[in-house]
Amino acid sequence: MLSVWTLLAAAICAVPVSAISQRDLIHGRQLLLDLPERTASLDFTSADERDKFTIWEHRGLSLSKPSKGQVNNASNGWSFIIRHVTFDDEGTYTLRNHFGATISSYTVKVNTNREIIERVAGEKLSIPLLGLRQSDATLRFYGNYSSVILVENGVPVGKEKPDYINRLKVTSEMIQILNVNVSDLGRYQLTDNKGRTVSNYTMLLVDQHPHNPGVGFLALMLLGIPCGICFCCRKRICNRCRTNKSQTVESNNLNTVPVSIPCSNTVIDPVGPIGPGGPGQGFQPAYVPQNPVYPPDFGVPPAQNYTPGIYSAPPGPEAAGFKMNEPSPNAPLLTPQPESH
């Protein structure tokens, strides 16, 4: 029986592998940990293991004030929040139940914030402290193979320099450099009171900032012009233009109907060689009139290029090769003359 209780206690005190998690956060970001209802305490161990203490514990119906961060009530328990994490918040956070057994454990790692900032000449550069106290902030500028201390322990010492007169401003939340120019190009390093790098900002000068597609919509809203109405009006105008255009095209099509020109029913057959059929027998089916200007297309059979008329009149004397004033070839050469009385 004793062995059973021993195994049960060991199972309760064991920390499941799935409950251990790693949290990587940038300096100044928020840390949020869920505390289930069975959580009795929250313990903290620093990254260097020098500091070990209980942040919060649940005592009956009352809640103790946490030594760091905040504990808020939630629907399924509580939650532990640190608004802006710093390097002092690195370490292990352990949740324990009323028996002292570990419910879950979180290892928090805080990283340096690194960003590239683009500014137009004349604008201001803002460097947030990211949860760092003003008295612990030190800002250095690196550019043109030189370095300058602008802020030391929260004091703007760089304002005494000719390039930074009336251009440095320090508050509890940020450090600002006003009216930036070409001489401000470079890297800005923010450190805490222990020399740890909180942020590294690299400033670049640009001609203008990238266009924001939402600016046009915002401008319309500021002017009080409903975008939906503008779209409907534009759509109605476009439909009207399309209708007018289609009507114009139809009217043009109606005005351009080809007019048929009546042609003569008399078709004069060209004179062909006198063959066995004689001049009065009409055309031969295999014969195609030749045009000296446009030579025939030898790739297509002649019978396909000619379409006979619906009605062809018999060739007259002119078509048969005779003229009205010329005698027939069968007439005698000498015609008897009437005797004169």
Side-chain angles (χ1 to χ4, degrees):
M1 186 66 180
L2 180 61
S3 60
V4 174
W5 283 108
T6 302
L7 293 175
L8 181 60
I12 294 175
C13 296
V15 179
V17 177
S18 60
I20 301 175
S21 62
Q22 177 81 19
R23 298 290 181 89
D24 291 336
L25 298 174
I26 297 177
H27 196 290
R29 299 296 190 269
Q30 176 179 284
L31 172 64
L32 175 62
L33 301 178
D34 292 330
L35 307 178
E37 292 183 356
R38 63 182 185 274
T39 303
S41 64
L42 174 64
D43 298 337
F44 172 74
T45 302
S46 62
D48 55 7
E49 296 184 355
R50 294 181 180 179
D51 296 332
K52 295 182 180 180
F53 57 89
T54 299
I55 297 176
W56 167 86
E57 60 182 348
H58 185 199
R59 298 174 181 174
L61 299 177
S62 62
L63 300 176
S64 63
K65 184 178 180 179
S67 57
K68 64 186 306 181
Q70 300 175 359
V71 175
N72 298 329
N73 188 10
S75 59
N76 57 346
W78 300 276
S79 61
F80 173 72
I81 299 175
I82 298 179
R83 299 296 180 185
H84 303 284
V85 296
T86 64
F87 291 115
D88 294 334
D89 298 322
E90 283 187 329
T92 303
Y93 296 79
T94 304
L95 281 65
R96 303 184 186 277
N97 59 16
H98 295 280
F99 299 99
T102 301
I103 300 175
S104 59
S105 181
Y106 302 91
T107 301
V108 176
K109 173 66 176 176
V110 179
N111 301 314
T112 301
N113 187 20
R114 305 178 187 274
E115 294 184 21
I116 296 178
I117 303 177
E118 295 181 350
R119 288 292 181 269
V120 178
E123 294 182 342
K124 62 182 177 181
L125 173 64
S126 298
I127 300 176
L129 298 183
L130 299 176
L132 190 65
R133 289 180 297 185
Q134 180 180 347
S135 59
D136 295 337
T138 298
L139 180 65
R140 290 179 174 87
F141 169 69
Y142 297 91
N144 296 328
Y145 304 99
S146 62
S147 63
V148 179
I149 298 178
L150 301 179
V151 178
E152 186 174 9
N153 297 328
V155 179
V157 296
K159 68 179 181 179
E160 304 297 334
K161 300 182 181 298
D163 293 339
Y164 296 97
I165 296 178
N166 299 327
R167 294 181 58 213
L168 280 178
K169 183 179 180 181
V170 180
T171 64
S172 59
E173 296 182 354
M174 66 183 62
I175 301 173
Q176 291 183 336
I177 301 175
L178 308 178
N179 193 22
V180 296
N181 51 58
V182 179
S183 63
D184 299 320
L185 291 174
R187 181 171 61 90
Y188 295 83
Q189 182 184 26
L190 179 65
T191 57
D192 61 5
N193 57 346
K194 295 181 180 180
R196 295 171 294 189
T197 302
V198 173
S199 63
N200 259 322
Y201 291 98
T202 301
M203 196 200 77
L204 302 176
L205 282 181
V206 295
D207 294 335
Q208 60 182 0
H209 295 292
H211 175 67
N212 188 359
V215 172
F217 175 78
L218 180 61
L220 291 177
M221 296 301 295
L222 293 177
L223 292 175
I225 302 176
C227 297
I229 296 178
C230 294
F231 176 77
C232 296
C233 296
R234 183 174 59 183
K235 185 176 181 182
R236 189 181 300 112
I237 293 173
C238 293
N239 291 334
R240 187 179 303 170
C241 295
R242 261 198 306 270
T243 304
N244 295 337
K245 184 176 180 180
S246 61
Q247 293 176 356
T248 304
V249 172
E250 292 179 359
S251 62
N252 293 336
N253 293 335
L254 293 177
N255 294 333
T256 57
V257 175
V259 180
S260 58
I261 301 176
C263 59
S264 175
N265 293 330
T266 303
V267 177
I268 300 176
D269 296 334
V271 179
I274 300 176
Q281 299 299 325
F283 284 102
Q284 297 296 330
Y287 175 74
V288 178
Q290 302 296 328
N291 192 332
V293 179
Y294 300 98
D297 187 1
F298 293 97
V300 182
Q304 298 179 1
N305 292 336
Y306 173 72
T307 303
I310 299 176
Y311 170 77
S312 297
E318 295 289 335
F322 299 100
K323 295 184 179 180
M324 297 298 297
N325 298 328
E326 292 183 359
S328 173
N330 297 327
L333 297 176
L334 295 179
T335 303
Q337 298 292 331
E339 294 180 0
S340 59
H341 296 281

